[in-house]
Amino acid sequence: MSNVFISHASVDKPFVLRLAVGLLAKGIPVWLDSWSMTLGDSLRDAIYEGLEQSSLVVVVVSDASIRSGWVKRELVVALKRERQTGRRFVIPLRIDDTAMPCDRLHADFAGRGFSEALEDLTRVLVAKGATDMAVLPAREVLPLRFTRPVDLDAAVLEASWKHMRRRHPDLVLLPEQVVLVEEPEYGALRRSLHHRIDAIAQDPDYTPEAERHLKDVNDLVGRLEVVLRTGVAELLNRGKEIDAVLWFAKIIRARALYRLWTTRMVAGGLGQGWKIAGLDDYKDARELFGTDELDLVDLWRDGHRTGNFTLWMPRRDVADLLRFGTPQRYYDGLPMMMTEHIYVYPQMLAEHLCYPRKTREPVWDLAEAIIGLH
């Protein structure tokens, strides 16, 4: 059972995260300490376990890693295993002009385009059997990478999930295996909020209400990050289309961004318009989904009129409701299949996970669903 272990200095983390996501999308399983450890774990034990259970070790060489005691120790352990097994599995990878510490051919990312260098590294790893590794299900990782503030990298998500299912056709993905890869703007907002909380006592505009607001937002954003991982795992485990994941993630991420921006009010402005993710009115829904042709409907499981979900749906798919005004079975109106994945499942799951006490379990089998005008 194995992954590709990436040995690196902590200051090189931004590059390493990009590298790890790129390799996962190529079908190469990766182990990173920051993805696999929780508070209370032994750093030494976790890293050495990662080395012991990894068939290939990529050592990221930089000025920082050369000066890193951890990387040197990891390299010593890996090279010792090479001598014991008689098999070369350590692959150096250089990301700056630092001289290589060993006489060995290496992958060179210094002064080259990332995509081109990644292709070269991937060919080497594939030739060494990286895509054929027997990976423990618990060591699988699904990266969520946002290319823009609220848009997931669909290609990375789809490719990574496809490779995970190839290795484990019956895999049940846990929320803990869904990893949020920090996007710079979002990460900066999170750090700014923590800084404001830490320095609130010295804030010249301090009020108890402002302090409470900052701490409430911090708690809420943390819960939304859990909701995001939980919902992605739920949708994928239920076999829903990638589009459902993308739109669910867009709703949840936008809600988190809006809350973060409320902590940076300047002259009464919120800085960004992510309030639309609340879907509280027609204007919000129109802006989020990018269409003017929407209507508000209620959807519930047949025989369970309480606990209905209130959703925005394309007008073309609720034409019969508009014409006759009476509820009907969801499929009687023959809505387009993609409507389920863009509108129905993302909104239902977002409402359920954000407000679990107010809603029932989403109606996953829409053959059981009744729909009516709100």
Side-chain angles (χ1 to χ4, degrees), residues 117-190:
L118 179 64
E119 290 290 344
D120 290 344
L121 176 62
T122 299
R123 281 193 289 270
V124 172
L125 293 172
V126 169
K128 289 181 174 292
T131 53
D132 299 320
M133 293 177 174
V135 185
L136 284 170
R139 287 173 69 89
E140 293 283 6
V141 174
L142 182 76
L144 297 185
R145 174 177 174 265
F146 287 85
T147 56
R148 289 180 293 275
V150 297
D151 295 311
L152 278 180
D153 187 326
V156 164
L157 173 65
E158 190 164 20
S160 301
W161 179 239
K162 178 187 72 175
H163 291 303
M164 290 173 68
R165 293 301 299 273
R166 172 179 58 81
R167 291 188 290 265
H168 306 285
D170 300 320
L171 177 70
V172 176
L173 185 66
L174 300 176
E176 295 78 18
Q177 293 174 271
V178 179
V179 176
L180 301 179
V181 181
E182 184 177 286
E183 183 267 328
E185 179 183 350
Y186 184 84
L189 286 170
R190 284 291 262 149

Side-chain angles (χ1 to χ4, degrees), residues 38-84:
T38 58
L39 292 177
D41 288 347
S42 165
L43 182 61
R44 181 189 299 273
D45 291 348
I47 289 176
Y48 284 1
E49 179 186 359
L51 282 167
E52 288 300 319
Q53 295 190 16
S54 300
S55 294
L56 295 168
V57 177
V58 172
V59 180
V60 177
V61 176
S62 67
D63 179 63
S65 71
I66 292 298
R67 292 184 282 105
S68 168
W70 276 112
V71 171
K72 288 180 181 179
R73 283 190 285 273
E74 291 163 11
L75 184 58
V76 167
V77 172
L79 292 175
K80 181 179 179 181
R81 281 187 59 201
E82 276 198 345
R83 292 191 295 272
Q84 291 172 341

Side-chain angles (χ1 to χ4, degrees), residues 105 166 186 191 270 286 345:
L105 290 176
R166 172 179 58 81
Y186 184 84
R191 288 189 291 274
L270 296 179
R286 181 183 62 191
Y345 293 128

Side-chain angles (χ1 to χ4, degrees), residues 4-282:
V4 173
F5 180 85
I6 303 180
S7 173
H8 63 282
S10 58
V11 296
D12 294 329
K13 185 70 72 179
F15 170 84
V16 172
L17 287 173
R18 187 181 182 190
L19 175 66
V21 169
L23 291 176
L24 286 168
K26 300 287 187 182
I28 297 173
V30 171
W31 192 95
L32 281 183
D33 53 359
S34 60
W35 287 355
S36 307
M37 294 179 64
T38 58
L39 292 177
D41 288 347
S42 165
L43 182 61
R44 181 189 299 273
D45 291 348
I47 289 176
Y48 284 1
E49 179 186 359
L51 282 167
E52 288 300 319
Q53 295 190 16
S54 300
S55 294
L56 295 168
V57 177
V58 172
V59 180
V60 177
V61 176
S62 67
D63 179 63
S65 71
I66 292 298
R67 292 184 282 105
S68 168
W70 276 112
V71 171
K72 288 180 181 179
R73 283 190 285 273
E74 291 163 11
L75 184 58
V76 167
V77 172
L79 292 175
K80 181 179 179 181
R81 281 187 59 201
E82 276 198 345
R83 292 191 295 272
Q84 291 172 341
T85 62
R87 181 177 66 87
R88 284 199 168 190
F89 55 83
V90 177
I91 302 171
L93 182 158
R94 190 176 67 160
I95 63 174
D96 59 22
D97 294 332
T98 300
M100 292 299 298
C102 56
D103 182 18
R104 182 172 294 193
L105 290 176
H106 59 276
D108 198 348
F109 281 71
R112 301 178 67 199
F114 180 87
S115 179
E116 179 186 4
L118 179 64
E119 290 290 344
D120 290 344
L121 176 62
T122 299
R123 281 193 289 270
V124 172
L125 293 172
V126 169
K128 289 181 174 292
T131 53
D132 299 320
M133 293 177 174
V135 185
L136 284 170
R139 287 173 69 89
E140 293 283 6
V141 174
L142 182 76
L144 297 185
R145 174 177 174 265
F146 287 85
T147 56
R148 289 180 293 275
V150 297
D151 295 311
L152 278 180
D153 187 326
V156 164
L157 173 65
E158 190 164 20
S160 301
W161 179 239
K162 178 187 72 175
H163 291 303
M164 290 173 68
R165 293 301 299 273
R166 172 179 58 81
R167 291 188 290 265
H168 306 285
D170 300 320
L171 177 70
V172 176
L173 185 66
L174 300 176
E176 295 78 18
Q177 293 174 271
V178 179
V179 176
L180 301 179
V181 181
E182 184 177 286
E183 183 267 328
E185 179 183 350
Y186 184 84
L189 286 170
R190 284 291 262 149
R191 288 189 291 274
S192 175
L193 174 56
H194 285 298
H195 176 74
R196 287 201 64 188
I197 291 172
D198 293 341
I200 191 65
Q202 289 76 45
D203 192 323
D205 299 320
Y206 169 84
T207 64
E209 291 77 17
E211 181 177 13
R212 184 167 60 250
H213 173 67
L214 293 176
K215 291 180 177 178
D216 286 348
V217 168
N218 187 56
D219 291 344
L220 176 58
V221 170
R223 290 197 299 274
L224 287 171
E225 290 172 357
V226 173
V227 164
L228 178 55
R229 293 194 297 269
T230 301
V232 168
E234 180 84 13
L235 289 166
L236 291 174
N237 287 334
R238 290 185 178 275
K240 303 308 177 187
E241 299 288 338
I242 292 296
D243 277 308
V245 178
L246 300 181
W247 281 95
F248 170 80
K250 187 171 187 174
I251 292 170
I252 301 304
R253 184 68 157 207
R255 289 180 182 179
L257 276 172
Y258 170 68
R259 294 298 182 181
L260 286 170
W261 273 102
T262 66
T263 68
R264 300 187 68 176
M265 292 189 204
V266 178
L270 296 179
Q272 288 284 0
W274 300 122
K275 179 180 178 295
I276 59 176
L279 298 174
D280 294 323
D281 56 35
Y282 178 74

